[in-house]
């Protein structure tokens, strides 16, 4: 069965500190992983996907198939990064994404 | 146009009412989705339409009835809902399947009284 686990409900850091939001997945096929972000009162937006290996707003994420992880990282957090972050799993043969439970990132001044 | 538009933004309905939620996209996406999101919870998949055909129904009660009249439009017809159905209903679309990621609408906040 496919599953996405985000172990932290809340992550609170100070501005300028490094951030790592954890995501682990369980999937028997070839996974496609995504990070979505939801800022206060805004719609869910795609932040990044592993296949494009891009960096958006200073965030990066590397798919580690050995550890079945796709952690989201940023070296220096900004207050405007405060939001809800969801890890999502797609994959070969899957018709829809499965979302993790989400981690709320709070960046304090 | 790179948006998914959902109407109405808010809806209050009684348990005996019939109402519909509407979702529209003009990006040429061929897959469209309905998700339900309760407060402080992740989106939960309800239905998937692929090339205007229903491809996934995640065991959703029959009081929710989806419809895809054409490739740009997705409706969710509601009838005899329960208070526990109150939630944010999200529509999303993608090019073909989930591989490229979704574009989400801003949702309809539904309250059943």
């Amino acid at each position: 069965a496919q599953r996405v686990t985000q172990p932290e409900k809340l992550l609170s850091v100070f501005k300028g500190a490094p951030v790592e939001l954890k995501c682990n997945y369980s999937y028997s096929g070839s996974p496609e992983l995504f990070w979505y972000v939801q800022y206060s009162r805004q719609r869910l937006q795609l932040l990044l996907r592993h296949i494009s290996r891009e960096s958006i707003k200073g965030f990066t994420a590397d798919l580690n198939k050995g550890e079945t992880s796709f952690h989201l990282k940023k070296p220096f957090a900004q207050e405007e990064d405060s939001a809800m972050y969801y890890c999502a799993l797609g994959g070969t043969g899957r018709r829809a994404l499965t979302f993790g439970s989400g981690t709320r990132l709070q960046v304090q001044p | 146009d790179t948006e998914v538009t959902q109407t109405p933004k808010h809806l209050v309905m009684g348990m005996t009412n019939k109402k519909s939620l509407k979702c529209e996209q003009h990006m040429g996406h061929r897959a469209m989705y309905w998700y339900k999101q309760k407060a402080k919870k992740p989106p939960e998949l309800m239905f998937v339409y692929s090339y205007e055909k229903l491809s996934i129904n995640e065991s959703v009660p029959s009081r929710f009835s989806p419809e895809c009249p054409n490739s740009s439009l997705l409706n969710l017809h509601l009838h005899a809902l329960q208070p526990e159905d109150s939630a944010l209903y999200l529509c999303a679309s993608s090019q073909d399947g989930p591989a490229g990621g979704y574009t989400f609408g801003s949702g309809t906040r539904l309250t059943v009284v």
Side-chain angles (χ1 to χ4, degrees):
Chain A
Q2 52 278 344
R3 183 183 294 177
V4 180
T5 303
Q6 293 179 251
E8 301 139 330
K9 284 190 174 178
L10 173 66
L11 183 63
S12 186
V13 302
F14 286 103
K15 178 182 168 182
V19 169
E20 183 178 51
L21 301 174
K22 291 186 168 34
C23 172
N24 288 89
Y25 68 91
S26 170
Y27 183 57
S28 55
S30 182
E32 292 162 1
L33 276 298
F34 305 82
W35 277 100
Y36 282 81
V37 60
Q38 192 167 31
Y39 300 102
S40 180
R41 297 192 190 87
Q42 292 188 29
R43 66 185 68 193
L44 269 165
Q45 304 170 35
L46 178 62
L47 181 61
L48 51 80
R49 45 187 171 166
H50 90 269
I51 55 172
S52 50
R53 300 185 66 81
E54 57 206 340
S55 172
I56 304 290
K57 300 185 179 184
F59 284 98
T60 58
D62 288 316
L63 179 60
N64 185 324
K65 290 188 179 180
E67 295 182 1
T68 60
S69 68
F70 188 57
H71 302 328
L72 183 67
K73 299 178 185 178
K74 184 169 182 176
F76 307 105
Q78 303 298 314
E79 287 181 69
E80 55 265 30
D81 296 328
S82 296
M84 192 73 174
Y85 291 80
Y86 291 100
C87 183
L89 169 69
T92 310
R94 285 189 54 72
R95 300 262 185 96
L97 296 181
T98 298
F99 288 84
S101 53
T103 298
R104 181 164 297 282
L105 175 63
Q106 208 169 63
V107 181
Q108 300 182 55
Chain B
D1 188 351
T2 57
E3 282 203 350
V4 173
T5 303
Q6 288 188 245
T7 53
K9 291 196 183 309
H10 301 274
L11 178 63
V12 179
M13 61 185 288
M15 289 188 281
T16 57
N17 290 162
K18 281 186 184 181
K19 296 286 185 184
S20 297
L21 310 185
K22 181 178 168 183
C23 173
E24 202 163 358
Q25 57 88 14
H26 297 285
M27 295 176 281
H29 288 176
R30 303 313 299 267
M32 295 183 78
Y33 312 81
W34 281 115
Y35 278 81
K36 173 182 176 179
Q37 188 177 26
K38 299 281 256 184
K40 300 188 183 186
K41 297 287 186 184
E44 292 176 24
L45 183 66
M46 297 176 74
F47 302 104
V48 178
Y49 273 83
S50 179
Y51 291 83
E52 299 160 54
K53 287 187 170 26
L54 182 66
S55 62
I56 295 181
N57 175 340
E58 289 284 284
S59 304
V60 179
S62 59
R63 58 185 184 268
F64 295 91
S65 174
E67 179 197 18
C68 189
N70 59 56
S71 60
S72 300
L73 198 51
L74 186 66
N75 297 320
L76 186 63
H77 303 298
L78 314 172
H79 174 52
L81 295 194
Q82 304 296 312
E84 57 265 28
D85 296 322
S86 298
L88 182 67
Y89 288 84
L90 295 168
C91 175
S93 69
S94 63
Q95 188 75 33
D96 186 13
Y102 292 168
T103 301
F104 275 97
S106 55
T108 294
R109 186 157 302 279
L110 174 69
T111 304
V112 182
V113 296

